[in-house]
Amino acid sequence: MNHYARAGLLVATLIGIAIAAWAIGSVGLHDILDAMRAIGWLGMLVFTATSIGVLSILGLAWLAVAPDQPLSRAWLFVWARTTREAATDVLPFSQLGGLVVGARTLTAAGVPDRVVYASMVADMTTEMAAQLLFTLGGVATLLMVLAHRPVQHDIVPLALAGVAGMVAIIIAFVVAQRPLLRLAGKLGARILPGSVAAMAAVREQLDAVYRAPRRMIAAFLLNLLAWFASAATAWIALRFMGCDVPLWAVIAQEALIFTLRSVAFAIPGALGVQEATYALLGPLFGIPPATALALSLLKRARDLLIGVPALILWQAGEGRALARRLRAAA
């Protein structure tokens, strides 16, 4: 990472921290902490366990578009998706850093590079397509909720901007896939021998995946299920916190929050964006601002509970692999 990228990441992080501090300060830290304590240890345990279930669904979606990988390796793709999310949520990386860690997890386990990178691209394509459908449902629900409220003039443009940003990201990702792979091969040819052949192999593998509609449909459906399951975990947390809101309202809220998080992918962990959005949208769906912000902070606590042990185990595995290579070279 060059100096400009580091500086940009630092600035984005500081801005996110400032927004989060403003959102928490405007609601009241004491009220937020009271709402967080309401979940209890059992509630936090259930919240974390169901979130691990969501990671399992995401890992299966990745496996669905990985040719020649048997179902017996599902645990490996679930683990790779877990390390990917851990790096994104815990480390000061953008989502790109998490992708690198997830790919490294698979390649270290012996999955061919061409399969890893082609399946990752295909999985991300189906994941974003599923998110778009999920988001449109959330926006439609929001429009119905705000149909007769004057506040809609402030909220609706934000929601529509999020959808527009999501659509732009998906279009750019789909259109740029093959040109970027070709460019990477040409640039790599000047530095590393064999990189052109490697990129060509990835392109061929990606084309093969796209020619298998059953794999793409399976990945799409699993990713769509994961989006709904993730929203359901938030509803479960709210129930333990004593906030009795309907599941459809939480799904709509989470759809909009996930969208704004995706558009703000350059900010590590969407810091600040998530908190401000919860404070803004929560009351519209019957969730008090303190409870909505408490849910946001509980999500970050859950990410640490899952992500920190995952990264420690991943680093231990990397250390063992390095030791084996050194012994083999000796």
Side-chain angles (χ1 to χ4, degrees):
M1 184 182 293
N2 60 39
H3 296 297
Y4 292 107
R6 289 195 188 96
L9 189 62
L10 177 61
V11 170
T13 302
L14 292 176
I15 291 174
I17 291 173
I19 295 174
W22 169 81
I24 292 171
S26 63
V27 173
L29 180 59
H30 180 74
D31 292 338
I32 295 171
L33 292 177
D34 283 343
M36 289 180 69
R37 282 191 288 267
I39 194 172
W41 288 108
L42 176 61
M44 194 63 192
L45 179 61
V46 174
F47 183 36
T48 303
T50 53
S51 298
I52 293 173
V54 174
L55 289 171
S56 299
I57 298 172
L58 291 170
L60 290 174
W62 192 351
L63 175 66
V65 286
D68 303 323
Q69 295 299 303
L71 187 59
S72 60
R73 305 202 82 182
W75 68 270
L76 177 59
F77 283 80
V78 172
W79 173 238
R81 186 61 195 238
T82 301
T83 59
R84 169 177 154 184
E85 295 298 322
T88 300
D89 295 331
V90 176
L91 299 178
F93 294 159
S94 66
Q95 292 185 25
L96 297 178
L99 293 174
V100 172
V101 172
R104 172 61 190 167
T105 302
L106 289 181
T107 55
V111 180
D113 288 353
R114 68 181 188 280
V115 174
V116 172
Y117 294 106
S119 64
M120 179 179 287
V121 171
D123 177 51
M124 290 177 64
T125 301
T126 59
E127 184 178 4
M128 286 192 285
Q131 184 179 5
L132 179 59
L133 182 60
F134 186 57
T135 298
L136 291 176
V139 171
T141 304
L142 177 67
L143 292 177
M144 288 188 289
V145 169
L146 299 180
H148 305 291
R149 298 187 191 181
V151 74
Q152 65 177 325
H153 299 298
D154 299 322
I155 304 298
V156 172
L158 178 63
L160 295 179
V163 174
M166 191 70 217
V167 171
I169 291 172
I170 292 175
I171 292 174
F173 183 79
V174 172
V175 171
Q177 286 177 12
R178 291 178 178 83
L180 285 177
L181 287 174
R182 286 195 295 270
L183 178 62
K186 291 178 181 178
L187 293 176
R190 302 180 181 181
I191 304 172
L192 299 172
S195 59
V196 173
M199 288 299 102
V202 172
R203 289 200 305 274
E204 291 174 5
Q205 187 75 74
L206 184 60
D207 290 338
V209 173
Y210 284 156
R211 288 194 299 268
R214 289 184 180 180
R215 288 183 174 275
M216 296 296 291
I217 292 172
F220 171 81
L221 292 176
L222 284 167
N223 276 310
L224 185 60
L225 175 61
W227 285 117
F228 279 100
S230 184
T233 64
W235 177 75
I236 290 171
L238 288 170
R239 296 284 293 185
F240 274 102
M241 295 164 69
C243 185
D244 187 11
V245 291
L247 179 59
W248 66 262
V250 180
I251 290 175
Q253 174 188 260
E254 294 296 300
L256 296 166
I257 289 170
F258 285 138
T259 298
L260 293 176
R261 275 184 59 103
S262 297
V263 173
F265 65 90
I267 302 176
L271 185 62
V273 174
Q274 176 174 297
E275 282 69 29
T277 308
Y278 266 110
L280 185 65
L281 291 179
L284 299 178
F285 294 103
I287 304 173
T291 303
L293 270 171
L295 175 60
S296 178
L297 296 180
L298 285 170
K299 279 188 171 186
R300 298 203 182 277
R302 172 210 59 192
D303 292 341
L304 291 174
L305 288 173
I306 297 174
V308 171
L311 289 175
I312 291 173
L313 291 173
W314 174 69
Q315 278 293 296
E318 289 285 304
R320 287 193 297 270
L322 177 60
R324 285 194 299 269
R325 288 195 296 269
L326 292 175
R327 284 197 300 269

